[in-house]
Amino acid sequence: CWSQLRDAYLAWWRQTRAQGVVFVAGEVDHEVTLARQQGTVTLQGRIDRIDRIGGLAGQGALRLIDYKTEARDRTRARVREPFEDTQMAFYAALLAGEAEPEVADQAMNTADISPVQGGYLQLSEREGAQWIEQPRLQAARDALRAAVVRELDAIAAGAALPALGSGEACTWCSARGLCRKEHWS
């Protein structure tokens, strides 16, 4: 029921504000450009919510939030393997700032990136709201950024695009059919 989810969210938000966390933005489009061996690639996406921890505007670490109403165990499973949780890593990559273009050294795509926290605000009618953090978000973010560049460089050099399997996220992904085995014949 909507009123139970609303009440769970409001109770969580009151507690979060009491800890000095402030709302920064919600449902905002972001993009970041990564350097490749030849050219750049731009990642684009929309982040559900961004808060700032322990500070007013311009101070404190950023925290990325994605809302989930799925089963709590499923949300917890998302963060167990940080390098499989591409959603939060991708969001963190979007806020990482631009890499310097025309740099062949892939380390430039992860240098001087501000720390960021992130996770899922799991909302349940029965269990209320629970913050489920991705504890290794920065490592997952850096690995994702490096992998995107590495794979695109390999494809540009003639390597075949690997099929990644079938996934429920395909329902929502705008690239459906480009990376999933179910569409390959």
Side-chain angles (χ1 to χ4, degrees):
C1 171
W2 167 245
S3 63
Q4 291 170 308
L5 292 177
R6 178 202 62 213
D7 292 346
Y9 167 79
L10 290 173
W12 171 84
W13 181 231
R14 281 195 248 10
Q15 179 183 12
T16 302
R17 290 219 23 149
Q19 296 168 352
V21 176
V22 296
F23 174 83
V24 174
E27 294 294 330
V28 178
D29 293 331
H30 291 271
E31 69 177 42
V32 64
T33 301
L34 302 178
R36 293 186 39 231
Q37 287 181 359
Q38 294 182 7
T40 60
V41 60
T42 301
L43 307 180
Q44 301 173 332
R46 178 172 291 175
I47 299 172
D48 281 3
R49 177 178 175 152
I50 303 169
D51 286 351
R52 188 167 303 280
I53 301 170
L56 302 172
Q59 301 172 354
L62 292 179
R63 179 169 66 183
L64 310 178
I65 299 172
D66 189 73
Y67 301 107
K68 295 293 182 200
T69 56
E70 64 195 8
R72 189 153 289 169
D73 287 342
R74 186 169 183 178
T75 306
R76 285 185 189 120
R78 290 179 183 279
V79 301
R80 277 192 199 115
E81 296 293 332
F83 298 102
E84 294 295 321
D85 180 20
T86 55
Q87 180 182 7
M88 196 52 58
F90 189 86
Y91 289 167
L94 290 174
L95 287 187
E98 291 192 358
E100 295 181 28
E102 300 178 18
V103 177
D105 181 2
Q106 298 309 316
M108 290 303 298
N109 283 323
T110 57
D112 301 320
I113 297 174
S114 300
V116 65
Q117 296 179 12
Y120 301 98
L121 180 57
Q122 204 283 330
L123 298 166
S124 168
E125 294 173 8
R126 286 180 273 146
E127 300 176 271
Q130 182 180 11
W131 171 246
I132 301 174
E133 187 168 348
Q134 174 50 269
R136 297 189 57 208
L137 182 57
Q138 292 177 85
R141 171 200 63 200
D142 294 349
L144 181 131
R145 288 169 62 102
V148 165
V149 170
R150 183 178 57 250
E151 294 296 323
L152 289 176
D153 285 343
I155 291 166
L161 180 65
L164 299 175
S166 300
E168 187 176 314
C170 291
T171 304
W172 310 107
C173 181
S174 60
R176 181 180 174 95
L178 293 178
C179 65
R180 301 292 172 193
K181 289 180 183 177
E182 67 187 73
H183 296 284
W184 291 36
S185 54

